């Protein structure tokens, strides 16, 4: 096997943690369509069931980065793979809302560690010319995980709707969650074939081991060049240690690191504050809000995730050619436009139930009692918040939750194509910019001595932002409405574009040691 194939194979194995994160994040959008009513959850409980893995992940990122600097990337990743498998099994057999949340939090610890360690490791085995493409394999695996999850949800939903004998309303979501066990076991097994990071080995004085890994990955000539650059970097680190720039959290606040820390935090916050996990985690709910129906909403999730895969491949093909800065700026502009288009589409929607609509709903939905909706017959609502409030008042929260898809499909008048194109445009722009570029730049910007620690701290902020967005999104939809929720994302993306335009550096084609010399004074 050639050295390039060796590295690509390693990157693919390491990034399976990203696949599992994408699978878990995508699967939950379909799971909650059934588990929410099974456990009779309100908006806050629904939000926590979806967001609790992200809440745990932010602490895992903080711990895993520093821990991996001490004991290495590989041992932590093996533990991560084991936890993924445990989480999938416990989620599938959850006997209560609390047990479901606990199982998902175990998975949250796993993907929090995997998301920062995989790109860190890949950057440490890559050469400057191909590092962007290789680190982007992490993002490709994430979106492949989303695609697999949405496809799995669609299949299980169709089997359930088609009357499959082994599925019912009480276990279909368990099957959706349980299939994650298979890729988790493959990840656990494959990781034993991965060597330790050569740069980490050199930092621990294990020079012969590090050299052997580099020679196997790159061949003698490139390995010698990499060894020389690493040793020069280690000599500089030793001088910094002597000058009291130690390996502590306080080090990140050192003036020499302030610029690259600020850039990392800005990108880390924007990646989640623009709404990516709200769209992915609640994709089925969002599409259902357009009135296309539950089955079509599941299919739209597959289309959404397929778009992610296509445009992540675009990013991988162009990131080392065009650079990080152009992709990120173009993507941010597209994200802003797409979110504002979704907002405009939802603001223009109206809701009305005719007597004929009500008769059909009463016939097809056991949760709608005869005559309870007649007081709103013919009334036009210009606000989705007001319409849902009236429906809940008439039916009760539980009954509305069981039939909201059918009610919205009957009542809404909306430019559904504009919303669909807005969401797909957002996903496409994210997939070739903030998705892969953030992880590439984080793996590049920080010196060997603090790479794990720095990425862990920024990952903590990134994950906290993600948790906050996904926790409050159901509340936003209920209390602010679809239009206002997407408007918030659009405004954040617009502000973020101008901030990045002013401050974002370019790291294309530079070795990790060159980047350190240029941006750390």
């Amino acid at each position: 096997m050639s050295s390039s194939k060796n590295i690509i194979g390693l990157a693919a194995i390491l990034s399976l943690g990203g696949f599992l994160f994408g699978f878990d994040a995508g699967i939950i959008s379909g799971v909650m369509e059934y588990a929410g009513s099974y456990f009779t959850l309100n908006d806050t409980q629904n939000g926590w069931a979806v967001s609790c893995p992200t809440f745990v992940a932010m602490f895992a990122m903080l711990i895993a980065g520093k821990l991996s600097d001490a004991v290495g990337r590989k041992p932590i990743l093996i533990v991560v793979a084991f936890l993924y498998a445990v989480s999938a099994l416990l989620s599938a057999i959850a006997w209560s809302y609390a047990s479901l949340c606990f199982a998902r939090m175990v998975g949250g610890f796993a993907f929090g560690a995997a998301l920062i360690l995989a790109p860190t490791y890949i950057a440490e085995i890559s050469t400057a010319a191909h590092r962007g493409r290789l680190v982007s394999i992490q993002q490709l695996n994430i979106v492949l995980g989303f695609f697999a999850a949405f496809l799995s949800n669609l299949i299980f939903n169709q089997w359930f709707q088609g009357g499959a004998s082994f599925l019912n309303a009480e276990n279909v979501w368990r099957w959706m969650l349980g299939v994650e066990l298979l890729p988790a076991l493959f990840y656990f097994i494959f990781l034993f074939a991965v060597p330790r990071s050569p740069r980490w080995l050199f930092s621990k004085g294990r020079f012969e081991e590090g050299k052997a890994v580099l020679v196997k990955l790159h061949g003698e000539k490139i390995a010698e060049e990499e060894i020389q650059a690493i040793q020069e970097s280690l000599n500089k680190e030793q001088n910094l240690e002597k000058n009291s720039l130690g390996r502590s959290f306080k080090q990140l606040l050192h003036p020499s690191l302030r610029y690259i820390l600020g850039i990392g935090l800005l990108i880390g916050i924007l990646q989640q504050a623009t709404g990516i996990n709200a769209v992915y985690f609640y994709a089925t709910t969002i599409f259902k809000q357009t009135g296309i129906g539950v089955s079509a909403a599941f299919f739209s999730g597959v289309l959404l995730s397929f778009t992610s895969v296509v445009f992540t491949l675009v990013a991988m093909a162009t990131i080392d050619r065009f650079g990080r800065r152009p992709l990120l700026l173009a993507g941010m502009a597209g994200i802003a436009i797409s979110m504002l288009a979704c907002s405009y589409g939802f603001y223009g929607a109206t809701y009305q139930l005719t007597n004929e609509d009500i008769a059909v709903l009463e016939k097809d939905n056991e949760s709608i009692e005869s005559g309870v909706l007649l007081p709103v017959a013919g009334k036009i609502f210009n606000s989705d918040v007001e319409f849902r409030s009236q429906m809940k008042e008439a039916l009760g929260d539980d009954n509305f939750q069981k039939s909201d898809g059918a009610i919205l499909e009957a009542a809404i008048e909306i430019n559904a194509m504009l919303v669909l194109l807005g969401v797909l445009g957002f996903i496409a722009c994210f997939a070739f910019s903030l998705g892969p570029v953030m992880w590439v730049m984080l793996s590049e910007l920080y010196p060997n001595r603090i790479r794990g620690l720095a990425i862990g701290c920024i990952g903590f902020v990134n994950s906290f932002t993600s948790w906050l967005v996904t926790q409050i999104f159901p509340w936003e939809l209920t209390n602010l409405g679809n239009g206002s929720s997407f408007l918030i994302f659009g405004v954040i993306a617009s502000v973020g574009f101008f901030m990045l335009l002013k401050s974002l550096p370019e790291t294309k084609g530079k070795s990790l040691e060159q980047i350190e010399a240029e941006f750390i004074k």
Side-chain angles (χ1 to χ4, degrees), residues 38-319:
Y38 178 81
F39 290 118
T40 317
L41 306 182
N42 57 36
D43 286 340
T44 301
Q45 292 172 319
N46 186 62
W48 178 247
V50 173
S51 69
C52 64
T54 311
F55 181 81
V56 175
M58 63 184 177
F59 296 103
M61 289 179 171
L62 200 60
I63 297 169
K66 189 171 178 61
L67 188 60
S68 74
D69 285 340
V71 302
R73 323 307 187 197
K74 179 178 175 177
I76 307 300
L77 285 172
I78 290 175
V79 173
V80 159
F82 177 75
L83 292 178
Y84 266 127
V86 171
S87 172
L89 182 61
L90 292 179
S91 296
I93 64 173
W95 55 92
S96 65
Y97 169 66
S99 64
L100 175 63
C101 290
F102 173 77
R104 287 183 47 73
M105 289 166 77
V106 171
F109 189 91
F111 77 64
L115 285 181
I116 64 167
L117 295 185
T120 299
Y121 183 102
I122 295 169
E124 291 175 348
I125 63 173
S126 307
T127 59
H130 305 293
R131 187 172 56 248
R133 189 177 305 125
L134 288 170
V135 175
S136 296
I137 292 176
Q138 161 99 336
Q139 186 64 22
L140 177 62
N141 262 307
I142 290 174
V143 297
L144 285 172
F146 276 116
F147 178 73
F150 282 117
L151 185 61
S152 176
N153 277 345
L154 177 65
I155 292 171
F156 276 114
N157 185 67
Q158 288 182 334
W159 284 347
F160 171 63
Q161 298 294 340
S165 59
F166 69 99
L167 292 176
N168 54 56
E170 295 184 358
N171 72 6
V172 61
W173 58 274
R174 297 182 186 277
W175 283 90
M176 290 177 175
L177 289 167
V179 293
E180 188 179 345
L181 180 62
L182 293 176
L185 291 175
F186 281 120
Y187 185 40
F188 178 75
I189 294 169
F190 290 156
L191 278 172
F192 285 95
V194 172
R196 286 184 177 270
S197 162
R199 280 179 166 83
W200 181 84
L201 289 169
F202 272 90
S203 72
K204 298 300 179 183
R206 297 160 65 172
F207 302 113
E208 291 303 318
E209 290 180 68
K211 180 179 179 180
V213 173
L214 286 171
V215 169
K216 184 177 181 179
L217 292 176
H218 302 295
E220 290 281 354
K221 182 179 179 181
I222 296 178
E224 287 299 327
E225 295 173 358
E226 292 291 311
I227 289 169
Q228 183 178 352
I230 292 170
Q231 288 178 331
E232 290 177 359
S233 176
L234 288 174
N235 290 335
K236 290 180 181 179
E237 290 180 21
Q238 289 174 358
N239 291 331
L240 288 171
E241 292 284 349
K242 293 176 183 178
N243 290 310
S244 300
L245 189 55
R247 296 172 181 266
S248 66
F249 286 99
K250 189 182 295 185
Q251 177 183 354
L252 293 178
L253 302 178
H254 193 276
S256 65
L257 301 176
R258 196 169 294 161
Y259 170 66
I260 57 173
L261 181 63
I263 292 296
L265 287 171
L266 176 60
I267 299 173
I269 291 171
L270 287 175
Q271 194 205 47
Q272 296 300 327
T274 48
I276 184 62
N277 280 349
V279 171
Y280 267 135
F281 290 6
Y282 299 102
T284 305
T285 300
I286 291 170
F287 287 124
K288 194 170 67 173
Q289 300 292 324
T290 66
I292 63 175
V294 175
S295 295
F298 272 93
F299 177 77
S300 296
V302 175
L303 180 61
L304 177 151
S305 55
F306 178 74
T307 302
S308 286
V309 173
V310 170
F311 281 89
T312 299
L313 291 171
V314 170
M316 293 177 65
T318 58
I319 191 168

